[in-house]
Amino acid sequence: MTKNPVLESASKILLDYVEDTETFATAINESVGSLALLDGQCNFLREPTPMEFVFVRAMLPANGAARLLEAFDAAAEEQMPRLANPSFASVAEEM
C-alpha cells in the first residue's frame, strides 16, 4: 500500500508548532470523539475527516495553518493534478 504523503506532511507541520505532542494528541483525540486521530507524536493514525482537518487547523497558529493547507495542496497536485483546483488554501481564504 502506498503511504499517503498528505498525512506525513501534516504531521511534520504539527510537530513544528506543538511542544507537548502527547498532551495535544490526547486533547485532539478526546475532542473528535471517535477513533483516535493522532498518536503521541502527532502523527495521523488515519485519514482525517473534513471536520477533523478543520479542527486541527484551527488549533494551529495562522502561519502553521497556512503551511498545513499548502502541504495538502502540494500532495493533491502531485497525486491528482486534474482535481487540484480549487486549492484547499483558496477555498479556506474564501471562508
Side-chain angles (χ1 to χ4, degrees):
M1 178 158 53
T2 305
K3 190 173 185 181
N4 187 338
V6 174
L7 303 181
E8 183 176 323
S9 300
S11 298
K12 288 178 183 176
I13 292 165
L14 285 171
L15 292 174
D16 287 348
Y17 289 96
V18 177
E19 290 181 19
D20 185 349
T21 57
E22 192 165 335
T23 299
F24 181 83
T26 300
I28 292 292
N29 290 338
E30 289 175 358
S31 298
V32 297
S34 59
L35 295 173
L37 180 62
L38 302 173
D39 68 12
Q41 287 76 45
C42 286
N43 294 307
F44 285 99
L45 296 170
R46 58 182 174 78
E47 189 169 337
T49 65
M51 289 306 296
E52 290 168 344
F53 173 77
V54 169
F55 182 70
V56 171
R57 181 177 159 254
M59 299 290 287
L60 294 171
N63 186 12
R67 287 183 54 214
L68 185 65
L69 291 170
E70 288 169 11
F72 274 74
D73 277 345
E77 288 172 7
E78 182 180 310
Q79 299 297 313
M80 302 175 287
R82 68 183 187 284
L83 299 177
N85 291 324
S87 69
F88 289 112
S90 64
V91 171
E93 287 173 7
E94 292 175 13
M95 298 171 109

